[in-house]
């Protein structure tokens, strides 16, 4: 077997990595919930809760974003407030409509609704521009004509304080005039910037006269060619939050050092509300990369089949894989929200998926790598219909029909010619129970000229149906799955291993590439799996447990009626 899902799990042993499986807590603490409860109790923001999810439309959303979505929309839901979906589209070079559409679809699929509150930072450009003019009038912003390299040099670093720009003391009139001409397109890119006048000696680099605007002569997906200056994210973000009267602006930890400038922007512009920024630890997971930049590389360089490749941690990939939105929400609750960085074990997600699917998946039998079995003591045309349950705990889902016939398929790995002592499945002269059917005995092994086993000749014991023991009470230890060779349907089955072969793929020596850690065996395509006939009517809406194998669902791209393609969602533990 080449798919290697479990082979590397022991590498996930860094002390940072949380143990997966059933021992994981059902719901972890969320410190933001406590903050909001206190704010409501003290009447802050009039007891209102307005959050926002602010993606930049420069890629597809991933499971880290799902954590942020569940957090922002979840808090709004819980406290009867609302959550806005806002596209932070201040960087025209990398943004595309395709990403906007995919982001909307993903948020909806996760089960959240922004109602009428869909916004774009670009809708606020005029207002933000006018606040920037106000800052100039107050002497708190200036047009700086240092070029990129000089800007860097003047900024200093963590050990050296910065130097004032020689353009810092331009008059208000000159600044207003230059800023207007920047907007009018009179200057080339990089000729001028608008900067906040704060403190070049601040120990916080973000407060050393940060940029407010830069010139970019790039077409914007919404504003077209109207603007040739664009506000910096750090300036547009707090102002957008204020315009929308966000009460709790929740972002990831890397923005902690940006918070003083967030507050500065709110304090120095005449904004209609005073939102507060809170930071939480972003989601990092073993065996995955989470940065959009890296995911984009995997897509663009064809290491995967697209943004929705079932091996990717993108929401569209997880969806295509067959992971349900309820499993993702369960996962988000289970990992909780904290301030300390951590690396979450991929197995925690898998455990959530298994729990979710065990409850809902329809049962069926499917043989992934078939070995032919002929039941010698059955007549040629024998076709006995048996009726196992669709779900063992949900009788209301009814029964399915399977067929016990003279020719069957079993899993090749369920037979061993020279077995170990602890192998309880089929062996020459040995017996095994066919799940939902009879006990069979292997009478003869047929091989081809190369010595490969091609067929087993067996007999069945007619009194052993329905789990009944053989007449002499002999013990049958093994149970295996099977399908009728006469009524089964063929399908393509895609088995997935981990995308990366090491737990921390980002961790590569200087000058090396994370892509060297890709698992070359992350996808195995089985062209001719044999499925019980009930799966001929499988639908995209349902998940299926192939008994003893794992959870599967139809591929939402490549599966066609009459030519099913199944993805393995997760194996059985
Ligand atoms: P990436 O680092 O993957 O490129 P990003 O942070 O640049 O992502 P944005 O579109 O700016 O992506 O993110 C939208 C929101 O999702 C932000 O509020 C961000 O904090 C949050 N977010 C992004 N990645 C994660 C993550 N791994 N865990 C939790 N939240 C995240
Ligand atoms: Mg970002």
């Amino acid at each position: 077997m080449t798919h290697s899902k479990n082979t590397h799990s022991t590498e996930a042993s860094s002390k940072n990595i949380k143990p997966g499986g059933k021992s994981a807590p059902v719901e972890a603490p969320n410190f933001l919930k406590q903050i909001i409860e206190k704010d409501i109790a003290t009447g802050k923001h009039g007891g209102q809760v307005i959050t926002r999810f602010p993606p930049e439309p420069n890629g597809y959303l991933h499971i880290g974003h799902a954590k942020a979505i569940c957090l922002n929309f979840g808090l709004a839901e819980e406290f009867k407030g609302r959550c806005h979906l806002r596209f932070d589209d201040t960087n025209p070079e990398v943004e595309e409509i395709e990403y906007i559409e995919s982001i909307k679809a993903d948020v909806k699929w996760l089960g959240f609704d922004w109602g009428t509150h869909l916004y774009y930072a670009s809708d606020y450009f005029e207002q933000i521009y006018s606040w920037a003019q106000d800052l100039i009038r107050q002497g708190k912003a200036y047009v700086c004509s240092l070029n990129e390299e000089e800007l860097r040099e003047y900024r200093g670093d963590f050990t050296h304080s910065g130097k004032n720009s020689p353009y810092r003391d331009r008059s208000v009139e000159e600044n207003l005039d230059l800023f207007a001409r920047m907007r009018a397109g009179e200057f080339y890119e990089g000729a001028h910037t608008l900067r906040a006048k704060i403190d070049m000696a601040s120990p916080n680099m973000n407060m050393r006269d940060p940029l407010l605007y830069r010139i970019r002569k790039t077409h914007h997906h919404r504003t077209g060619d109207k603007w040739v200056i664009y506000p910096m994210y750090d300036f547009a973000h707090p102002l957008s939050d204020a315009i929308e009267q966000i009460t709790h602006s929740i972002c990831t930890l890397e923005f902690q050092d940006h918070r003083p400038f967030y507050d500065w922007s709110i304090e120095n512009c005449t904004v209609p509300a005073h939102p507060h920024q809170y930071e939480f630890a972003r989601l990092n997971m073993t065996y995955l990369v989470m940065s959009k930049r890296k995911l984009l590389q995997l897509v663009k360089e064809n290491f995967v089949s697209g943004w929705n490749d079932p091996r990717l941690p993108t929401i569209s990939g997880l969806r295509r894989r067959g992971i349900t939105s309820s499993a993702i929400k369960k996962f988000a609750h289970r990992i909780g929200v904290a301030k300390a960085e951590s690396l979450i074990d991929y197995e925690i997600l898998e455990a959530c998926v298994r729990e979710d699917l065990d409850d809902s998946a329809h049962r069926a039998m499917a043989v992934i790598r078939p070995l032919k079995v002929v039941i010698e003591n059955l007549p040629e045309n024998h076709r006995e219909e048996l009726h196992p349950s669709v779900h063992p705990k949900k009788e209301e889902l009814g029964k399915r029909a399977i067929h016990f016939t003279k020719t069957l398929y079993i899993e090749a790995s369920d037979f061993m010619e020279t077995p170990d002592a602890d192998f309880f499945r089929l062996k020459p002269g040995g017996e095994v129970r066919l799940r939902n059917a009879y006990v069979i005995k292997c009478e003869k092994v047929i091989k081809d000229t190369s010595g490969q086993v091609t067929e087993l000749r067996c007999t069945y014991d007619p009194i052993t149906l329905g789990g009944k023991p053989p007449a002499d009470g002999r013990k049958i230890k093994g149970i295996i799955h099977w399908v009728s060779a006469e009524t089964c349907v063929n399908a393509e089955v895609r088995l997935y291993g981990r995308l990366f072969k090491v737990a921390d793929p980002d961790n590569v020596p200087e000058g090396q590439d994370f892509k060297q850690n890709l698992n070359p065996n992350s996808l195995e395509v089985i062209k001719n799996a044999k499925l019980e006939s009930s799966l001929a009517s499988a639908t995209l809406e349902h998940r299926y447990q192939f008994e003893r194998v794992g959870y599967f669902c139809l591929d939402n791209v490549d599966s066609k009626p009459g030519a099913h393609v199944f993805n393995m969602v997760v194996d059985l533990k």
Side-chain angles (χ1 to χ4, degrees):
M1 196 130 135
T2 49
H3 82 280
S4 53
K5 202 199 71 52
N6 283 319
T7 45
H8 302 287
S9 58
T10 48
E11 286 179 26
S13 57
S14 131
K15 61 180 185 310
N16 237 350
I17 298 172
K18 305 205 171 152
K22 297 219 154 56
S23 58
V26 170
E27 187 158 342
N30 175 345
F31 74 97
L32 289 166
K33 216 160 121 172
Q34 287 148 20
I35 289 175
I36 293 183
E37 274 161 359
K38 203 167 122 232
D39 288 348
I40 289 177
T42 59
K44 201 169 167 186
H45 312 292
Q48 262 203 319
V49 177
I50 307 174
T51 56
R52 86 284 172 268
F53 173 63
E56 187 184 352
N58 62 350
Y60 279 60
L61 298 182
H62 53 60
I63 190 158
H65 294 113
K67 173 180 175 175
I69 293 168
C70 290
L71 177 60
N72 281 297
F73 279 93
L75 288 170
E77 235 164 50
E78 184 168 348
F79 294 102
K80 307 209 162 27
R82 64 174 196 253
C83 180
H84 300 181
L85 175 61
R86 182 201 317 141
F87 289 102
D88 256 325
D89 52 355
T90 54
N91 187 4
E93 275 111 355
V94 292
E95 294 164 2
E96 288 176 29
I97 305 276
E98 177 196 346
Y99 298 139
I100 293 191
E101 292 311 316
S102 78
I103 289 169
K104 286 200 241 171
D106 287 349
V107 174
K108 273 193 193 143
W109 178 76
L110 280 172
F112 296 111
D113 184 7
W114 53 86
T116 54
H117 300 283
L118 173 65
Y119 301 108
Y120 295 84
S122 56
D123 289 348
Y124 309 139
F125 281 173
E126 200 64 60
Q127 173 67 73
I128 295 171
Y129 178 81
S130 117
W131 277 326
Q133 287 178 312
D134 286 349
L135 288 175
I136 294 175
R137 285 188 202 102
Q138 296 175 63
K140 289 176 178 165
Y142 61 98
V143 172
C144 179
S145 310
L146 294 176
N147 65 29
E148 218 178 307
E149 201 187 315
E150 292 163 333
L151 279 170
R152 210 173 307 121
E153 196 190 307
Y154 274 75
R155 203 163 169 240
D157 56 30
F158 286 107
T159 47
H160 301 92
S161 110
K163 281 188 297 186
N164 282 352
S165 160
Y167 306 101
R168 205 173 194 254
D169 295 319
R170 276 177 166 151
S171 69
V172 168
E173 290 66 37
E174 187 183 0
N175 280 322
L176 284 173
D177 174 62
L178 283 171
F179 190 43
R181 288 164 59 198
M182 279 168 68
R183 176 176 180 169
E186 282 187 31
F187 308 113
Y188 57 86
E189 285 190 11
H192 305 285
T193 54
L194 185 73
R195 298 176 69 183
K197 194 188 282 188
I198 308 180
D199 177 8
M200 290 307 292
S202 171
N204 183 338
M205 302 277 285
N206 297 300
M207 297 300 268
R208 294 185 185 173
D209 290 10
L211 298 195
L212 303 180
Y213 269 88
R214 68 237 192 274
I215 300 172
R216 281 283 176 281
K217 299 195 168 170
T218 307
H219 189 82
H220 185 281
H221 64 100
R222 281 178 68 81
T223 56
D225 298 315
K226 177 169 181 206
W227 293 90
V228 293
I229 56 171
Y230 290 93
M232 301 301 290
Y233 177 87
D234 274 355
F235 184 52
H237 194 74
L239 300 179
S240 305
D241 280 348
I243 291 171
E244 293 176 23
Q245 318 226 358
I246 301 299
T247 57
H248 299 80
S249 176
I250 300 167
C251 63
T252 38
L253 274 183
E254 67 270 24
F255 288 101
Q256 198 158 5
D257 290 346
H258 299 233
R259 183 165 11 110
F261 181 61
Y262 182 102
D263 292 340
W264 184 95
S265 304
I266 299 281
E267 278 156 24
N268 290 291
C269 298
T270 49
V271 291
H274 285 72
H276 193 282
Q277 174 181 301
Y278 300 89
E279 306 90 16
F280 70 102
R282 64 196 291 116
L283 172 65
N284 298 302
M285 284 177 77
T286 57
Y287 299 98
L288 291 175
V289 294
M290 211 66 97
S291 118
K292 276 190 273 190
R293 191 176 53 79
K294 290 184 178 163
L295 295 173
L296 183 67
Q297 273 184 56
L298 295 178
V299 172
K300 290 266 142 93
E301 296 168 31
N302 295 316
F303 287 97
V304 293
S305 67
W307 282 103
N308 62 351
D309 188 295
R311 292 165 294 181
L312 287 181
T314 52
I315 295 178
S316 52
L318 298 169
R319 174 163 72 232
R320 181 171 174 193
R321 176 84 171 251
I323 291 174
T324 60
S325 56
S326 58
I328 293 175
K329 285 181 181 166
K330 191 188 271 261
F331 173 70
H333 278 290
R334 190 160 298 180
I335 59 177
V337 178
K339 267 214 167 256
E341 286 285 357
S342 73
L343 187 59
I344 300 291
D345 199 319
Y346 189 77
E347 288 180 14
I348 296 181
L349 175 63
E350 290 183 321
C352 292
V353 173
R354 286 191 196 102
E355 274 174 42
D356 179 67
L357 295 184
D358 178 42
D359 206 45
S360 58
H362 292 190
R363 270 47 172 182
M365 290 195 286
V367 173
I368 307 299
R369 296 174 188 82
L371 173 61
K372 189 169 161 188
V373 169
V374 175
I375 309 291
E376 293 186 314
N377 57 341
L378 275 180
E380 215 45 70
N381 59 357
H382 184 88
R383 183 185 287 198
E384 183 178 347
E385 195 165 288
L386 303 169
H387 297 102
S389 298
V390 170
H391 194 290
K393 285 174 249 158
K394 294 190 170 168
E395 281 312 313
E396 69 276 16
L397 291 178
K399 307 282 188 197
R400 56 196 220 257
I402 59 172
H403 307 99
F404 186 62
T405 55
K406 186 171 177 75
T407 312
L408 313 171
Y409 290 115
I410 65 166
E411 207 69 68
S413 58
D414 282 335
F415 171 77
M416 275 183 93
E417 199 175 7
T418 44
D420 310 329
D422 58 354
F423 182 81
F424 296 120
R425 289 162 282 156
L426 205 54
K427 58 189 174 192
E431 287 180 294
V432 79
R433 178 174 290 283
L434 295 181
R435 189 176 175 89
N436 303 312
Y438 299 91
V439 170
I440 60 167
K441 180 175 183 191
C442 177
E443 309 285 356
K444 194 171 163 204
V445 179
I446 296 175
K447 298 180 185 176
D448 63 15
T449 48
S450 70
Q452 181 84 18
V453 177
T454 56
E455 184 180 321
L456 303 177
R457 294 284 167 145
C458 299
T459 51
Y460 86 111
D461 181 344
I463 76 152
T464 55
L465 185 63
K468 282 202 215 59
D472 63 2
R474 63 189 190 281
K475 281 264 177 299
I476 309 295
K477 283 203 178 160
I479 302 183
I480 63 173
H481 59 279
W482 58 281
V483 296
S484 159
E486 282 147 49
T487 66
C488 70
V489 290
N490 288 333
E492 179 175 322
V493 166
R494 298 175 183 171
L495 304 176
Y496 299 102
R498 303 222 150 112
L499 185 55
F500 290 94
K501 58 191 176 189
V502 296
D504 190 4
D506 280 325
N507 186 12
V508 285
E510 191 65 25
Q512 288 184 34
D513 190 334
F514 76 100
K515 295 195 288 293
Q516 75 194 34
N517 288 326
L518 280 164
N519 172 11
N521 302 317
S522 59
L523 168 64
E524 185 182 2
V525 178
I526 309 278
K527 286 287 180 192
N528 238 326
K530 309 286 184 188
L531 318 183
E532 73 171 54
S533 56
S534 75
L535 286 168
S537 54
T539 61
L540 269 172
E541 286 66 47
H542 287 112
R543 308 288 176 274
Y544 301 89
Q545 187 194 89
F546 293 180
E547 294 177 308
R548 295 186 64 236
V549 182
Y551 293 99
F552 288 79
C553 86
L554 287 179
D555 186 85
N556 64 16
V557 176
D558 295 331
S559 197
K560 303 274 164 336
H564 285 339
V565 177
F566 279 93
N567 290 319
M568 183 172 77
V569 189
V570 66
D571 60 359
L572 299 173
K573 196 66 177 189

